Amino acid sequence: MYRTIIGIICMCLAFGCGNKSFDTAEALQLYIQQPENEYVYSKTVNGVDFSVLYKPTDLLVNQELGDHKSAEIVDSLRDKYKAYMYFTVSMSKNNQELLSNVAGNKRRFGAMVNELAFGMEQKVHLYTPKKDTVLLVDYIYPRMYGMSGATTMLFVYPREQKVTNQEFMTLSIEDLGFYTGEVKFKIPTKIIASEPRIQFN
């Protein structure tokens, strides 16, 4: 009984009692994809489907780990990734990538390729209730060449106290030429403080 109590205390210290933990990355992925857990948000505006998913640190750690899962490597990778917040933004129209919807218009297609690849820092913004903007660190746009049902990107922002000290943050996506206007997502910051983890060891 004594050992069990000590074990629970140690786990609370290691993970924080508010943090859920999962045996696999797949189980964690399933958890964050349930809207009631507040990690994913969706809207449809003028026929365009938008989805924003906050990606917990351990999913990034898992991608880099490979077969070497020592506690030292896990801790090192967690330290590396926890300085940032990761958001996957997906957009689709007619269950297709955005580019597939303008494929018949060469000029518009070329302009959108350029915007998606190089100009999204001007289109996607993260800010606090006080309208403090969080500067984008990087974003990744993998070209899927019509093989996917959505245009999906990863946006990386610094995990700054001016965000985490607030009750919520807002991620906004400006109109990309589909007459949606600006689309906003209000995301509670508590999901960062209590983000779920993977039990690697």
Side-chain angles (χ1 to χ4, degrees):
M1 181 68 179
Y2 178 75
R3 282 185 179 176
T4 304
I5 292 168
I6 293 297
I8 291 168
I9 290 169
C10 288
M11 281 189 71
C12 284
L13 290 173
F15 296 110
C17 286
N19 298 58
K20 288 184 179 291
S21 58
F22 297 87
D23 292 334
T24 64
E26 292 75 19
L28 173 51
Q29 194 81 44
L30 265 176
Y31 174 79
I32 64 172
Q33 286 170 351
Q34 305 303 313
E36 62 269 21
N37 295 323
E38 300 184 285
Y39 285 87
V40 66
Y41 297 84
S42 302
K43 281 184 184 178
T44 300
V45 182
N46 198 28
V48 179
D49 298 316
F50 294 88
S51 177
V52 173
L53 175 76
Y54 176 79
K55 200 168 184 177
T57 301
D58 274 9
L59 287 179
L60 282 297
V61 172
N62 185 69
Q63 284 177 355
E64 192 169 330
L65 258 184
D67 296 326
H68 308 290
K69 297 184 179 179
S70 72
E72 292 79 10
I73 294 173
V74 168
D75 288 344
S76 173
L77 289 173
R78 279 178 173 157
D79 285 342
K80 171 183 171 182
Y81 286 111
K82 74 179 181 184
Y84 303 98
M85 302 179 292
Y86 306 88
F87 297 90
T88 299
V89 175
S90 295
M91 299 166 284
S92 67
K93 187 175 175 70
N94 303 318
N95 294 315
Q96 296 176 314
E97 295 176 50
L98 296 184
L99 284 172
S100 298
N101 284 273
V102 295
N105 183 328
K106 254 187 188 177
R107 183 192 60 77
R108 195 175 169 202
F109 183 87
M112 183 164 281
V113 167
N114 193 58
E115 187 164 64
L116 292 173
F118 306 109
M120 292 305 289
E121 71 276 6
Q122 305 298 324
K123 292 291 187 177
V124 176
H125 308 283
L126 185 71
Y127 55 89
T128 72
K130 296 179 178 177
K131 304 299 182 188
D132 291 328
T133 301
V134 185
L135 295 178
L136 181 69
V137 174
D138 197 8
Y139 78 92
I140 299 164
Y141 166 53
R143 284 288 302 275
M144 301 304 291
Y145 300 97
M147 301 298 289
S148 172
T151 298
T152 301
M153 305 180 194
L154 180 69
F155 289 83
V156 184
Y157 294 93
R159 192 180 297 213
E160 297 177 346
Q161 279 195 338
K162 69 179 180 182
V163 180
T164 56
N165 284 347
Q166 302 297 316
E167 187 180 345
F168 66 90
M169 55 192 155
T170 300
L171 190 139
S172 74
I173 305 164
E174 291 185 20
D175 197 330
L176 296 174
F178 291 92
Y179 305 102
T180 60
E182 184 181 15
V183 179
K184 297 180 181 179
F185 295 88
K186 188 176 174 180
I187 303 167
T189 56
K190 67 181 181 182
I191 65 171
I192 298 170
S194 61
E195 65 176 45
R197 289 189 167 199
I198 299 169
Q199 293 179 351
F200 291 110
N201 306 111

